[in-house]
């Protein structure tokens, strides 16, 4: 995967468009899906732990 810069210059193609191999594109897409799934599960579990801690708090 090419290095992504924070700001793109006008008129330049997006670095991900430079990836032409079908397998590489699929790997990049699956990597993003794995990262998004991990973040979603982490947020869900954090909220669940907060609700449990409020329910069973001693105060």
């Amino acid at each position: 995967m090419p290095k992504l810069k924070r700001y793109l210059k006008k008129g330049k193609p997006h670095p991900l468009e430079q990836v032409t191999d079908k397998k590489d594109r699929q790997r990049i897409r699956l990597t993003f899906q794995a990262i998004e799934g991990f973040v979603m599960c982490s947020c869900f579990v954090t909220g669940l732990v907060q609700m449990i801690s409020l329910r069973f708090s001693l105060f």
Side-chain angles (χ1 to χ4, degrees), residues 17-29:
E17 293 175 359
Q18 297 173 0
V19 179
T20 56
D21 189 26
K22 199 172 189 177
K23 257 187 172 175
D24 289 339
R25 283 182 173 261
Q26 184 179 11
R27 287 181 184 157
I28 291 171
R29 186 173 51 250

Side-chain angles (χ1 to χ4, degrees), residues 1-2 4-7 11-12 15 18-19 21 23-24 26-27 29 31-32 38 45 49-51 54-55 57 59:
M1 185 168 140
L4 301 177
K5 296 185 179 179
R6 180 171 267 183
Y7 302 106
K12 283 198 165 190
Q18 297 173 0
V19 179
D21 189 26
K23 257 187 172 175
D24 289 339
Q26 184 179 11
R27 287 181 184 157
R29 186 173 51 250
T31 302
F32 282 129
F38 176 79
V45 171
V49 167
Q50 286 179 352
M51 289 187 337
L54 288 174
R55 172 68 175 94
S57 64
F59 300 106

